[in-house]
Amino acid sequence: MKRQHDFATRAIHAGQEPDPTTGAIMTPIYATSTYVQESPGKHKGFDYSRSINPTRLAYEKCIADLESGTRGFAFASGLAAMSTTLELIESGSHVVVSDDLYGGTFRLFDKVRRHSANLDFAYVDLTDASRFESAIKENTRMVWIETPSNPLLKIIDLEAIERRSRASTKLFRSPTTPSPRLGSSGRSNSVSISSSIRRPNI
């Protein structure tokens, strides 16, 4: 059985393979846009950086490992990740949302997706799990939780919400303040979105 490394080691090495050309331990930053192909569609796994890039792939593998997930996806912004997540549910679906949200999340839900995708959002104080049960409808397909919330830092019991949700309902935790590691969920159809990782100003 393969030994599971501690978090600090995984944070540095997960998703990293030594560079086959130079032997560099850490994946370099690949700024190239295109990759050589033997023939159309026949390549070494990389064709165009918009679709896949070795640097981004290493980061996605690392994040998936740190969150004990199966896949990781990197986006240019938290709102881009949130918008893509909403594509997982059909038009007309009902979404239960924790009532204290990052303003950008609320605007995306209330001003955009309510109209463009006919999504129905119910804003509920999920610090009381019984309120969640009262908010569920037949067409509830997603639970959107930000905990600790922004700006009030409300703490939501993810396990209590999971126990009360149906298998057909996707559970999302969008931490805008701490690392998702602090509240990861073990449920197979749950997804954590980390929208707080930013590059330093140079």
Side-chain angles (χ1 to χ4, degrees):
M1 177 190 260
K2 189 176 179 182
R3 179 179 173 272
Q4 176 74 19
H5 292 288
D6 289 336
F7 183 84
T9 301
R10 289 160 53 214
I12 295 171
H13 295 290
Q16 306 286 342
E17 296 291 337
D19 185 274
T21 304
T22 65
I25 296 294
M26 304 306 286
T27 304
I29 296 173
Y30 286 90
T32 187
S33 63
T34 55
Y35 302 84
V36 69
Q37 300 186 40
E38 291 180 38
S39 59
K42 191 173 180 184
H43 47 74
K44 297 179 179 179
F46 303 96
D47 55 358
Y48 190 54
S49 274
R50 230 178 243 164
S51 57
I52 189 167
N53 170 287
T55 310
R56 190 170 65 242
L57 181 62
Y59 169 75
E60 291 171 339
K61 285 181 176 179
C62 183
I63 289 296
D65 185 274
L66 293 178
E67 294 190 33
S68 301
T70 56
R71 294 290 303 273
F73 298 96
F75 292 85
S77 71
L79 279 172
M82 293 174 195
S83 295
T84 302
T85 300
L86 292 175
E87 296 296 331
L88 295 172
I89 57 177
E90 295 179 358
S91 175
S93 294
H94 178 252
V95 183
V96 177
V97 184
S98 50
D99 65 346
D100 185 38
L101 291 172
Y102 163 62
T105 308
F106 175 77
R107 287 187 294 276
L108 173 66
F109 289 1
D110 201 65
K111 308 300 181 192
V112 180
R113 291 309 177 94
R114 183 183 295 277
H115 305 287
S116 67
N118 193 33
L119 296 180
D120 179 20
F121 297 96
Y123 300 93
V124 180
D125 182 359
L126 295 178
T127 57
D128 181 349
S130 65
R131 293 180 184 171
F132 168 66
E133 288 184 284
S134 303
I136 295 174
K137 294 182 178 181
E138 188 62 34
N139 65 332
T140 301
R141 294 294 176 265
M142 183 179 287
V143 184
W144 192 282
I145 298 172
E146 292 187 6
T147 183
S149 67
N150 178 1
L152 300 180
L153 299 177
K154 288 184 178 183
I155 304 297
I156 296 167
D157 185 341
L158 296 176
E159 290 183 359
I161 299 297
E162 286 183 271
R163 283 194 301 271
R164 290 165 169 81
S165 63
R166 297 191 308 260
S168 62
T169 304
K170 292 172 175 47
L171 178 65
F172 290 91
R173 176 176 182 269
S174 177
T176 58
T177 309
S179 163
R181 177 179 184 247
L182 299 178
S184 61
S185 164
R187 201 167 102 172
S188 60
N189 66 337
S190 67
V191 174
S192 292
I193 299 173
S194 178
S195 57
S196 57
I197 297 174
R198 296 178 175 87
R199 68 172 179 80
N201 292 327
I202 298 173

